[in-house]
Amino acid sequence: MKAARPHDDAMVELLREDPAFADEYLAAALEEADEPGGRQCLLRALRHVAQAQGMEEVAERAGLRRESLYRALSPKGNPTLETLLAVLSAAGLRLAVARREEHPA
């Protein structure tokens, strides 16, 4: 039987094995960002993607210091829009906007 491992480690490994999964993973996290706890989940998802690609490499491509990237993507992080866009770009992704689906009353 395989030993249990932390969720964060499993997600990073999955993202390393399937880099295209990052698109779906971050899109789902972004959709839930306005829900309670959603902002922290989005930061966690972005951190997982950056860890899967290598934090130092992502920080370098984003033009950030590695420590700044860790801080921005920490559970209490509050990255600026500039930092968010730079990290997404460095990870080979971009932010997209879509209209919310209206729910009938």
Side-chain angles (χ1 to χ4, degrees):
M1 178 180 239
K2 203 170 188 181
R5 60 191 167 144
H7 175 264
D8 290 340
D9 294 347
M11 287 305 301
V12 170
E13 184 178 321
L14 180 62
L15 289 161
R16 274 191 192 122
E17 292 171 359
D18 184 7
F21 177 58
D23 303 8
E24 296 172 46
Y25 183 48
L26 285 173
L30 191 56
E31 279 185 34
E32 302 295 324
D34 59 348
E35 299 293 326
R39 185 180 147 279
Q40 290 82 7
C41 289
L42 177 59
L43 286 176
R44 177 183 248 179
L46 192 54
R47 184 172 60 249
H48 288 157
V49 170
Q51 287 174 322
Q53 293 187 13
M55 290 292 271
E56 193 162 340
E57 292 83 3
V58 171
E60 186 175 316
R61 290 190 307 256
L64 301 168
R65 291 184 19 240
R66 185 177 50 89
E67 296 81 13
S68 298
L69 179 59
Y70 274 107
R71 194 173 328 116
L73 301 180
S74 74
K76 293 186 180 189
N78 190 16
T80 64
L81 180 59
E82 181 179 0
T83 298
L84 178 64
L85 294 175
V87 172
L88 286 170
S89 179
L93 302 166
R94 66 183 173 91
L95 189 62
V97 176
R99 184 160 306 279
R100 285 184 187 206
E101 291 183 26
E102 296 297 323
H103 297 283

